[in-house]
Amino acid sequence: MAAINPSTRGILDRTSDRIFRCNHNSISQVRFNSALLPGMQSIALQTLPCYQTKEAFRMHVSAAMRELTGSVTNVEGLRFAIVVGQFNEFVTKPLMDGALRAFKTHQVKESDIDIVWVPGSFEIPITAQTLANSGKYHAVLCIGTIIRGETTHYDAVANAAASGVLSAGLNSGVPCIFGVLTCENLEQALHRAGGKAGNKGAEAAVTAMEMASLFYHHLSKLK
Ligand SMILES: Nc1c(NC[C@H](O)[C@H](O)[C@H](O)CO)[nH]c(=O)[nH]c1=O
Ligand SMILES: CC(=O)[C@@H](O)COP(=O)(O)O
């Protein structure tokens, strides 16, 4: 293990965007700093004893540190609910189809997916929380499309949907994934439902799989 060089400043690890620093001369006293601001170079690092090479630091930290991630390759047997808004169905249906393709790509069985249609995005949160609280699903994917009109109703619905889906996850402890488009116009929505900006439904399904596997294989086993 490389000796700590007292004159070395903290190591900036661009891959994880964190500063790794060591306190005193003990390599066990390793602390992480939170994510860096873009203008990292302008932030003066305290001169602290630290490793001479990042690799030496990593060898030590990796011996002590666990990194937990979910993976779409680890979803066998996990069950998913999809809550989808009927409002703007010409957009939400392609979003849902994108999600189903993503689930199929990663071998999630159709029998492990339940789809629940609700009138609009405002009705998604209560439905998501009910499904999550049932204990039958490892993640709940919420799909909707909110397009701004003439009034401020857009803001009410969008804010309610976002905060509602967040609360459903926090209240239930089951990952509730926000796959609701909030768009200024129809063109923006169509671009994100299989157009030039991709399919946000498929992206949200990948997030649902990653979170479901993270919780099922790792976080649910933390003591
Ligand atoms: N304008 C949009 C709505 N509005 C309907 C609400 O979601 C809700 O169903 C109604 O307020 C009754 O509670 N919903 C969307 O999903 N997208 C919209 O653009
Ligand atoms: C997001 C909405 O609720 C929107 O469709 C309503 O349109 P408007 O504000 O013109 O009534």
Side-chain angles (χ1 to χ4, degrees):
M1 183 70 68
I4 292 178
N5 177 343
S7 65
T8 305
R9 296 158 66 88
I11 291 179
L12 168 58
D13 181 341
R14 273 285 177 223
T15 55
S16 58
D17 198 15
R18 287 178 293 183
I19 302 173
F20 295 95
R21 299 191 301 179
C22 315
N23 276 338
H24 313 304
N25 278 322
S26 160
I27 61 174
S28 62
Q29 298 294 316
V30 172
R31 287 193 303 114
F32 298 146
N33 270 3
S34 59
L36 306 178
L37 298 174
M40 177 56 214
Q41 287 72 11
S42 63
I43 297 176
L45 281 179
Q46 298 174 37
T47 301
L48 287 169
C50 200
Y51 291 101
Q52 285 174 320
T53 66
K54 184 163 68 172
E55 191 47 43
F57 176 88
R58 276 191 172 283
M59 283 193 299
H60 168 74
V61 171
S62 59
M65 179 176 79
R66 287 188 304 169
E67 287 189 66
L68 306 176
T69 60
S71 170
V72 292
T73 62
N74 209 2
V75 294
E76 184 174 358
L78 299 186
R79 292 186 46 75
F80 299 87
I82 304 176
V83 186
V84 52
Q86 288 170 303
F87 208 106
N88 292 324
E89 187 177 348
F90 50 90
V91 181
T92 60
K93 180 69 168 57
L95 289 172
M96 186 185 71
D97 291 343
L100 293 175
R101 283 193 298 273
F103 282 128
K104 184 175 182 179
T105 298
H106 297 291
Q107 285 81 47
V108 175
K109 299 187 181 72
E110 290 186 357
S111 58
D112 285 335
I113 301 170
D114 289 337
I115 300 170
V116 179
W117 287 89
V118 294
S121 296
F122 191 84
E123 285 73 36
I124 289 176
I126 189 172
T127 309
Q129 181 156 318
T130 300
L131 292 165
N133 284 338
S134 73
K136 295 179 180 177
Y137 304 100
H138 296 95
V140 179
L141 173 56
C142 301
I143 290 178
T145 298
I146 307 169
I147 300 174
R148 188 180 295 276
E150 295 175 351
T151 71
T152 60
H153 192 239
Y154 166 92
D155 301 291
V157 175
N159 291 331
S163 58
V165 170
L166 173 63
S167 296
L170 294 173
N171 294 337
S172 65
V174 174
C176 290
I177 309 306
F178 189 69
V180 178
L181 297 186
T182 54
C183 300
E184 292 300 323
N185 53 56
L186 177 57
E187 184 183 31
Q188 287 182 355
L190 294 174
H191 283 171
R192 289 156 179 79
K196 67 180 184 180
N199 189 306
K200 299 302 180 183
E203 292 177 23
V206 169
T207 300
M209 288 184 273
E210 289 174 338
M211 287 298 286
S213 67
L214 172 65
F215 273 64
Y216 180 75
H217 294 293
H218 300 296
L219 302 192
S220 61
K221 298 171 182 173
L222 289 178
K223 298 297 179 212

